[in-house]
Amino acid sequence: MAAALDALPALVREHLPQADPRRTVLTGHSAGGHLALWAAARHVLPAGSPWHAGRPTPLRGVVALAPIADLALADELGVCGGAARQLLGGAELFDGRRPYADPALLLPTGIATTLVQGRDDVEVPQAVAEAYADAAARAGEVVGVTLLEDVGHYPLIDPAADACAVVAEEIAQLAW
């Protein structure tokens, strides 16, 4: 993810010269939402991290869909069968690696961020998004949270679902 973001400006210049790279909005769903939030926070990573960026990634914003945005709460709730703990290499490595991987610890980013979450999501519960938004507020940053009634985990990425239209609108608003 870090390498892709580092390469993006040159790729845009070469292959899409008409595009405005300053309007880039990262979007990801579930674990991809975690990655989008993490990528936007690379400049906040501890200085010794190999993924640390000296300055913020030039992004207009992040729209994270049902993201695994708080690894500690995700672990506590057993989200996705313990995916947070697995991501960080197991129980013995979890606490030591969390400062390098947990978006809820990598705040404030200074990058406009919106979370879109279904209230009926049983894969990644609404509480995970709310915990990230709360952590952002404690860090002095406002994060938008759009909660969708009667929406589970997958309609956010289903082009035929009404929820997907909401996602497209959130992206368009940040890209503007």
Side-chain angles (χ1 to χ4, degrees), residues 38 41-54 96-102 105-106:
W38 176 86
R42 287 179 54 215
H43 62 288
V44 184
L45 284 167
S49 168
W51 307 288
H52 177 81
R97 289 183 172 174
R98 221 176 115 228
Y100 299 92
D102 192 340
L105 297 179
L106 301 172

Side-chain angles (χ1 to χ4, degrees), residues 68 71 74-90 94:
I68 301 175
L71 296 182
D75 183 55
E76 180 182 318
L77 297 175
V79 168
C80 298
R85 190 166 293 256
Q86 292 170 27
L87 172 69
L88 299 186
F94 187 78

Side-chain angles (χ1 to χ4, degrees), residues 140-155:
E141 188 160 80
V142 176
V143 169
V145 179
T146 300
L147 299 172
L148 303 177
E149 293 294 331
D150 303 318
V151 172
H153 193 64
Y154 296 102

Side-chain angles (χ1 to χ4, degrees), residues 4-168:
L5 277 179
D6 291 345
L8 186 61
L11 290 169
V12 168
R13 280 192 303 277
E14 181 179 345
H15 298 288
L16 297 167
Q18 72 281 12
D20 182 354
R22 296 170 300 173
R23 294 179 63 196
T24 301
V25 175
L26 285 183
T27 302
H29 175 254
S30 198
H34 164 266
L35 282 175
L37 294 168
W38 176 86
R42 287 179 54 215
H43 62 288
V44 184
L45 284 167
S49 168
W51 307 288
H52 177 81
R55 56 189 164 83
T57 302
L59 299 172
R60 182 65 59 94
V62 174
V63 177
L65 316 175
I68 301 175
D70 183 312
L71 296 182
L73 182 58
D75 183 55
E76 180 182 318
L77 297 175
V79 168
C80 298
R85 190 166 293 256
Q86 292 170 27
L87 172 69
L88 299 186
E92 62 282 348
L93 300 173
F94 187 78
D95 290 333
R97 289 183 172 174
R98 221 176 115 228
Y100 299 92
D102 192 340
L105 297 179
L106 301 172
L107 292 161
T109 66
I111 296 172
T113 301
T114 298
L115 309 181
V116 182
Q117 178 75 43
R119 287 191 183 269
D120 292 346
D121 190 335
V122 295
E123 307 291 328
V124 181
Q126 171 183 332
V128 177
E130 290 171 338
Y132 178 84
D134 291 345
R138 285 191 303 276
E141 188 160 80
V142 176
V143 169
V145 179
T146 300
L147 299 172
L148 303 177
E149 293 294 331
D150 303 318
V151 172
H153 193 64
Y154 296 102
L156 299 173
I157 57 170
D158 178 355
D162 291 341
C164 198
V166 173
V167 169

